[in-house]
Amino acid sequence: MFPRPEKPRILPKSDDAQPPTPGSGPTPGNGKRRHLAVRLDDAWLRFQTRVAIRRGRVETVIPYTGYGTISWVRVLARVVRSDPRDAAGHANPLQESMRGWRNFISAPVAHAAVQVNIAGTVHDVEADRGGVVDVRIEAALNPGWHTITLQSGSSRTVEAPVEVVADDADFGVVSDIDDTVMVTALPRPFLAAWNTFVLNEHARTPTPGMAVLYERIARTAPTAPVLYLSTGAWNVAPTLSRFLSRNLYPAGPKLLTDWGPTPDRWFRSGREHKRTSLERLAEEFPRIKWLLVGDDGQHDEAIYSEFAHRHPQNVRAIAIRQLSVGEAVLAGGRSKSGGQPTPGIPWLYAPDGAGMSAQLEELGIIYSPVRSADEPEEGD
């Protein structure tokens, strides 16, 4: 098993169930005083909530792409307070092109009670203290894409896509985002703030050849799930989704994290988030061998190497994008540790998608030709 911090709860059905006031509950755990960071974060949340209510902001559910098997689904969403015009879909900057700071300053609804409708069955769940819904619900669905609905309080009902993976699926892709599928070209200390507060998806640059590579993978293995694993915050999920769609990357769940503090530290560990997410995927999909894609500018090599040593049966290959000299300087240098040898698991290094594509083709992992310009899109 693996640690799952602050897991949202599935609530018993009750008409009078009310979410607790942020910061008003008992001290968690064994009664020890909470970390200063958590107390400050709760104070900020209470202030945000008061200001949002005074300005007439209403509960709004931001749906994210979920995934699952034929017996369960993982539902992902976030509940915030937004302008009523946005919630009603008239202006909707939360879902349309907008600068990331608007998502960041929207007050989350701590411990929001959310109704999730899956194939006609309603499930009552609870968000965490940051308004994030991340819960696994039993459901019987056929493999493929499905749509579920979510609602919180008097919010507008929203739809969320869910990818159900077939039980016999044996291949999938886990891809990093920054400097892997998009070029950030920013110093690491400023990257998170820039992506969150300033940049929208129109200003981001796709990594050359990566979208074509992922298209070839999707054509070779149409049922293979593609998941995007990043240390980015849930606040920027809508922006990332639009970027991936605009640049023709395959649709897939994004496994992001929360910037908030933990019970014992000021900031969450992005590295631990990636480790935990990979461990969870190995537990949830024991039959799948993953192609792990990352870059050599952070900790991807070390994280993927550790995972491959622990779960060699769950790794098909590891593909690492080599940053240019300029990108490596901005990233704070290349990974010093690199990937440790993993017998039986090939490692690929290339500066772009074309180089990775050629090596994956040699390994027999992909073979589908690239779609020609004359070939119509599906649905045309």
Side-chain angles (χ1 to χ4, degrees), residues 10-17 115-116 120-125:
I10 297 182
L11 303 174
K13 290 191 175 181
S14 172
D15 293 335
D16 57 357
Q115 292 74 48
V116 181
T121 301
V122 177
H123 305 266
D124 295 321
V125 304

Side-chain angles (χ1 to χ4, degrees), residues 274-294:
K274 286 191 171 183
R275 284 200 188 107
T276 302
S277 296
L278 288 171
E279 289 292 326
R280 178 166 185 166
L281 291 175
E283 179 181 319
E284 292 174 333
F285 302 103
R287 290 172 51 90
I288 291 183
K289 286 181 173 289
W290 299 98
L291 168 64
L292 306 177
V293 187

Side-chain angles (χ1 to χ4, degrees), residues 48-133:
Q48 274 188 300
T49 301
R50 287 196 302 270
V51 172
I53 293 175
R54 188 165 61 244
R55 293 181 176 178
R57 302 298 190 254
V58 297
E59 287 191 28
T60 304
V61 180
I62 304 176
Y64 305 137
T65 303
Y67 68 87
T69 69
I70 61 173
S71 60
W72 58 266
V73 296
R74 183 180 180 185
V75 178
L76 300 167
R78 188 165 180 256
V79 186
V80 300
R81 292 188 179 276
S82 68
D83 188 290
R85 293 170 299 176
D86 303 337
H90 300 314
N92 209 8
L94 287 170
Q95 299 296 341
E96 299 298 333
S97 180
M98 58 171 288
R99 296 191 181 276
W101 66 270
R102 290 285 297 277
N103 275 331
F104 184 80
I105 65 173
S106 296
V109 182
H111 307 291
V114 180
Q115 292 74 48
V116 181
N117 189 319
I118 304 176
T121 301
V122 177
H123 305 266
D124 295 321
V125 304
E126 182 182 299
D128 66 12
R129 61 189 295 276
V132 175
V133 174

Side-chain angles (χ1 to χ4, degrees), residues 213-274:
L213 167 62
Y214 286 17
E215 179 192 27
R216 295 192 67 185
I217 293 174
R219 286 177 163 257
T220 299
T223 61
V226 179
L227 293 91
Y228 299 93
L229 175 59
S230 172
T231 57
W234 283 112
N235 311 65
V236 299
T239 304
L240 293 177
S241 294
R242 292 191 298 268
F243 170 86
L244 295 171
S245 175
R246 185 179 300 277
N247 291 282
L248 305 181
Y249 283 97
K254 282 154 286 296
L255 305 180
L256 307 180
T257 187
D258 191 347
W259 272 6
T262 67
D264 58 355
R265 58 187 298 169
W266 283 94
F267 300 102
R268 296 179 189 271
S269 167
R271 189 169 180 170
E272 186 60 29
H273 162 67
K274 286 191 171 183

Side-chain angles (χ1 to χ4, degrees), residues 215 219 245-248 371-380:
E215 179 192 27
R219 286 177 163 257
S245 175
R246 185 179 300 277
N247 291 282
L248 305 181
R371 183 182 67 245
S372 69
D374 296 331
E375 183 178 343
E377 296 278 1
E378 291 184 13
D380 287 355

